[in-house]
Amino acid sequence: IDKCILMKNIFVSIFSHIQIKSLVFILLPLCVVSCDKVEYDNPFRGQWQVLEWVDTTGTTVATNETQMYYSFQLGIISFQHVRGQAPLLLHARYETSANQLYISKPFEYAGNGHDKELPMSILSQFGVPADGVFVIKEQTSTKIVLRSNETGTIILRKY
């Protein structure tokens, strides 16, 4: 009987060791594959509140009281407006270069994994010009200043 208990303990020890190795071999590739989507060095990443939007004529279009937000993550920018009208949430693709932010392909999530494509003009209510191009006038970890000849200057703060 002692031999049976000893054999059982050895078998359990070997089996649990094999399970741990199998688990490591399964999880390690998953961790490595998922790492390529992390944006550690993207200074835009996160949610930003529109502090002020002044159009090209000098008229203030929006302030922080307007409650407009831009959120950046993994090449998608989300626009949210929560005050003064029914809440609105739109999305678009974005890219950045040294001094430009380029916004394109607006869409609305339509459910069941489908997106509804929208015209660029729908983003004008968030200050996005028809060509989707902003010049980045200032950029820190807490503030971004965007400028467009069409829609004016938008100042964002990290929220």
Side-chain angles (χ1 to χ4, degrees), residues 68-82:
M68 288 174 55
Y69 303 93
Y70 291 21
S71 296
F72 297 85
Q73 184 176 4
L74 296 173
I76 302 288
I77 180 172
S78 298
F79 301 92
Q80 185 175 19
H81 190 252
V82 294

Side-chain angles (χ1 to χ4, degrees), residues 56-101:
T56 56
T57 67
T59 304
T60 300
V61 179
T63 66
N64 59 328
E65 293 175 1
T66 312
Q67 295 184 350
M68 288 174 55
Y69 303 93
Y70 291 21
S71 296
F72 297 85
Q73 184 176 4
L74 296 173
I76 302 288
I77 180 172
S78 298
F79 301 92
Q80 185 175 19
H81 190 252
V82 294
R83 187 170 179 185
Q85 60 185 15
L88 179 63
L89 180 62
L90 300 173
H91 313 280
R93 305 280 181 212
Y94 82 93
E95 296 176 25
T96 59
S97 66
N99 67 341
Q100 285 191 334
L101 169 65

Side-chain angles (χ1 to χ4, degrees), residues 26 31 52 98 143:
I26 290 170
C31 292
E52 184 177 51
K143 181 180 177 182

Side-chain angles (χ1 to χ4, degrees), residues 38-48 70-75 94-101 136 138-146 156-159:
V38 177
E39 294 183 306
Y40 291 111
D41 61 346
N42 184 351
F44 283 90
R45 185 175 41 119
Q47 185 169 357
W48 298 79
Y70 291 21
S71 296
F72 297 85
Q73 184 176 4
L74 296 173
Y94 82 93
E95 296 176 25
T96 59
S97 66
N99 67 341
Q100 285 191 334
L101 169 65
I136 303 168
E138 182 181 340
Q139 178 180 356
T140 68
S141 62
T142 59
K143 181 180 177 182
I144 298 173
V145 179
L146 303 173
L156 305 168
R157 77 168 173 109
K158 188 77 169 196
Y159 194 72

Side-chain angles (χ1 to χ4, degrees), residues 126-137:
F126 292 97
V128 178
D131 64 1
V133 178
F134 283 106
V135 174
I136 303 168
K137 299 301 276 182

